[in-house]
Amino acid sequence: MNITAVADQLSLFTLAKEQIQSKSWVVTTLAGSTRGYADGTGTETQLDQPSGVAMDSSGILYVTDSSNHLIRKVTPEGEVNTLAGNTYGGYEDATGEEALFNYPFGVAVDLFGNVYVADMWNNRIRKITPKGVVSTFAGDGTKGHKNGFGTKAKFNSLGGIAVDSSGDLYVADHKNHRMRKITPEGEVSTFAGDGTKGHKDGTNEEAQFNYPYGVAVDLFSNVYVADKGNHRIRKITPEGEVSTLAGDGTKAEFNYPGDIAVDSFGNLYVTDTSNHRIRKITPEGEVSTLAGGGQKGYKDAVGTKAEFRYPSGVAMDSDGILYVADADNYRIRKIEYK
């Protein structure tokens, strides 16, 4: 290889390196505008306190439009439709808009396209088939703590929900300060937490949480919890061993973390709700800020120049694009690394 060819290769290498280093997390608005209810596309649409988001294998985003008591579907192009529910709170198993929810919060999608909703104020887990048929999967509707099958179980103000590759559900039983597990057959058990509000690492019911909220599951069935009242991110192994990955008491700090998404490399993405930021945590526990400058507001921009207002749910698609339920901006935001 002559000197000119070597110089050309070095130049290309330098250019590629500069392009990689120049990449940033860019925040845009996918859907939503002012507070209200309207289907449509992009900023023509309206939501009211969107809380949870989950992505299916085809790239469709499911949103719990909490104060509208609706489950919405959002396409990659930003087209919003109502999957189930009506704009007044209640409880009714039915199809589509004949079904009723009462402040739906967490949402998850299984490998078959079934949508599971943590129906917070109904204290129930609801299931929605791909055809929009809503049924009650677990919970009898009364506040309490009880393990059992299906509607014999009891919850107390449900938060986030996640599903693993085996179809097991993991639910943040918010006011019970516990993490619950539900098998595909509907058997509800206590996965971790003794029911006492506090912070304690340990195994299964030896551990303690303080209003757990967001939930995510990685490829190895490790469960991650946004332990909101403790301002920590907790990790639970498949055997139920609870540890603190990041947050107060370690080097990093959060302010009421809301939800978590996990990528195929084991990196976590957290809505740091009261800090109005999106944070990233590596498998080694290193925390950084991806987007949001910390001030309340609404601004589409690059990285920390962007603004959020109490971001709640977060999900990631197969291309590594993040979707955030920006609750008090009544919008769904999109964050791409480009």
Side-chain angles (χ1 to χ4, degrees), residues 128-333:
I128 312 173
T129 68
K131 294 184 178 181
V133 179
V134 180
S135 60
T136 298
F137 190 61
D140 69 359
T142 60
K143 295 179 182 179
H145 173 259
K146 183 181 178 182
N147 292 322
F149 277 90
T151 54
K152 292 181 180 179
K154 292 181 185 290
F155 304 93
N156 189 359
S157 187
L158 294 161
I161 185 171
V163 60
D164 68 14
S165 58
S166 301
D168 291 317
L169 296 174
Y170 298 89
V171 184
D173 194 358
H174 183 59
K175 290 187 178 179
N176 275 326
H177 311 290
R178 291 176 166 104
M179 292 300 301
R180 312 289 289 279
K181 180 179 179 179
I182 312 174
T183 66
E185 296 74 36
E187 183 179 4
V188 180
S189 60
T190 299
F191 186 50
D194 67 1
T196 304
K197 183 171 68 172
H199 174 262
K200 183 181 177 182
D201 289 337
T203 303
N204 298 121
E205 295 184 52
E206 294 174 357
Q208 291 179 343
F209 299 89
N210 188 354
Y211 296 109
Y213 241 57
V215 188
V217 185
D218 70 15
L219 296 174
F220 304 99
S221 294
N222 295 298
V223 178
Y224 299 91
V225 181
D227 193 4
K228 194 165 190 175
N230 277 322
H231 311 287
R232 291 172 164 100
I233 305 302
R234 313 287 291 278
K235 178 181 178 179
I236 314 174
T237 67
E239 296 74 34
E241 184 179 346
V242 181
S243 59
T244 299
L245 180 64
D248 188 28
T250 64
K251 292 181 180 179
E253 292 183 349
F254 297 87
N255 193 359
Y256 296 107
D259 197 17
I260 305 172
V262 58
D263 67 19
S264 57
F265 301 102
N267 297 297
L268 303 182
Y269 302 87
V270 180
T271 51
D272 193 1
T273 301
S274 292
N275 273 326
H276 315 289
R277 290 178 164 103
I278 311 303
R279 314 285 290 279
K280 178 181 178 179
I281 310 174
T282 67
E284 295 75 33
E286 182 181 349
V287 181
S288 59
T289 299
L290 291 191
Q295 67 277 13
K296 284 189 292 185
Y298 168 65
K299 185 179 180 181
D300 285 339
V302 175
T304 55
K305 293 181 181 179
E307 294 177 358
F308 300 86
R309 189 181 294 269
Y310 299 106
S312 180
V314 61
M316 176 175 274
D317 69 14
S318 58
D319 295 322
I321 299 171
L322 290 168
Y323 298 84
V324 176
D326 194 3
D328 278 19
N329 276 322
Y330 318 112
R331 293 171 166 95
I332 304 301
R333 311 290 289 278

Side-chain angles (χ1 to χ4, degrees), residues 37 39 47 52-54 61-74 80-87 96-97 99-109 115-119 126-128 132 134:
Y37 167 63
D39 285 339
L47 304 103
V53 287
L61 191 70
Y62 296 85
V63 180
T64 50
D65 192 5
S66 296
S67 290
N68 274 328
H69 311 288
L70 300 170
I71 312 303
R72 316 287 288 274
K73 286 176 68 174
V74 186
V80 179
N81 291 289
T82 299
L83 175 64
N86 216 306
T87 53
E97 295 182 19
L100 296 178
F101 299 85
N102 198 354
Y103 206 83
F105 191 85
V107 61
V109 188
V115 178
Y116 295 89
V117 177
D119 195 0
R126 314 288 291 280
K127 179 180 179 179
I128 312 173
V134 180

